[in-house]
Amino acid sequence: MGYIIYNGYNSSDDLIITRPLIRPTWGAEINEITRPGAPRKLMQVSKSYANEQMTIEAALFDATPERVRKVYQALSGHGQLVLSSAPDEILTAYIRPLIPEAVALQTAVYAASVTLMPFAYASKPTVATVGTSYTTITNSGTVYSAPEIRLTPSAAGEIVIDTNGSAFTLTIPAELASKELIIDSDAEVTYYMDGEDKVSVNYRTKGSYPLLHMGDNYIKYSGSVTGTVTINVRERWL
């Protein structure tokens, strides 16, 4: 019997999954280009990936009003999804129930449409230390990854992150020294935390955000930092 975990809620106590939980895979979008006078169109592979769909079908152990309400409150809207068939992966999802709550109460059946955004991410991603000479970082996913890098400047000046020969530069003023900076390559934003608020310092950056291709990558930094520079690989799969 399968189960799902959604935003921390585990379906095991409430639902019997009746349809196999098979995660779909993502493919790059294909664009067709028409050339004037040409007899056929060109096919161009996009750098973006479309959302995919799956369906959850289940029976309720005991269709009491309290249990049905609990399931519908837990399994709807945006969240992080884990399938029992792929427990080491985290999916970004939107769940929309297909059966009205009142009908589920009468039939003890639950069904939902799930929209899955690219990609499947590692539930325990690799976190490594970056040095001042090239460090080998392996991306074990099946698509390039957009890592998160954390560092704390110790003085004003430049800090350069060199990933496979591509430089990403931070210009550090005195007021940013001693603040932990977070380089989020997925969102393409660099920031520090002020209480619960993220304060962007993108205007202090230059160059493309670091990306890790599949397999081995080589990364190093230069500049003055306190402590260690860490990288969260954020492996992901199609």
Side-chain angles (χ1 to χ4, degrees), residues 127 146-153 159 161 168-170 172 176-205 209-210 225-226 228-234:
V127 178
E148 178 188 271
I149 299 171
R150 292 176 178 251
L151 56 87
T152 302
I159 295 176
I161 306 294
F168 178 79
T169 303
L170 287 164
I172 307 297
L176 285 182
S178 78
K179 292 184 182 295
E180 182 184 50
L181 300 181
I182 302 166
I183 302 167
D184 186 341
S185 294
D186 194 25
E188 295 193 342
V189 63
T190 301
Y191 63 95
Y192 66 87
M193 297 301 299
D194 183 9
E196 295 184 356
D197 298 323
K198 295 180 179 179
V199 181
S200 172
V201 294
N202 269 13
Y203 64 98
R204 295 286 182 183
T205 68
Y209 274 80
V225 301
T226 298
T228 59
V229 177
T230 62
I231 181 169
N232 182 332
V233 176
R234 287 176 166 173

Side-chain angles (χ1 to χ4, degrees), residues 32-180:
E32 293 186 349
I33 300 174
T34 301
R35 295 176 296 161
R40 62 179 183 175
K41 296 180 180 180
L42 291 178
M43 306 293 286
Q44 186 178 61
V45 179
S46 171
K47 292 183 179 180
S48 62
Y49 293 78
N51 294 339
E52 291 292 342
Q53 304 289 326
M54 65 176 290
T55 302
I56 297 172
E57 295 179 5
L60 288 141
F61 278 122
D62 181 17
T64 64
E66 294 77 17
R67 187 183 298 274
V68 172
R69 191 175 305 114
K70 172 186 173 185
V71 169
Y72 272 72
Q73 287 177 346
L75 298 181
S76 62
H78 290 278
Q80 301 295 308
L81 174 66
V82 176
L83 305 176
S84 59
S85 55
D88 296 327
E89 299 176 353
I90 295 177
L91 307 166
T92 302
Y94 180 83
I95 295 181
R96 180 176 63 86
L98 296 174
I99 298 174
E101 191 171 333
V103 175
L105 183 60
Q106 295 177 342
T107 61
V109 172
Y110 173 84
S113 170
V114 183
T115 300
L116 296 173
M117 284 155 270
F119 302 92
Y121 287 82
S123 60
K124 296 180 180 179
T126 301
V127 178
T129 299
V130 177
T132 54
S133 57
Y134 276 124
T135 302
T136 302
I137 301 294
T138 301
N139 171 18
S140 61
T142 58
V143 67
Y144 74 90
S145 75
E148 178 188 271
I149 299 171
R150 292 176 178 251
L151 56 87
T152 302
S154 58
E158 284 193 346
I159 295 176
V160 179
I161 306 294
D162 178 330
T163 308
N164 298 321
S166 179
F168 178 79
T169 303
L170 287 164
T171 301
I172 307 297
E175 61 267 23
L176 285 182
S178 78
K179 292 184 182 295
E180 182 184 50

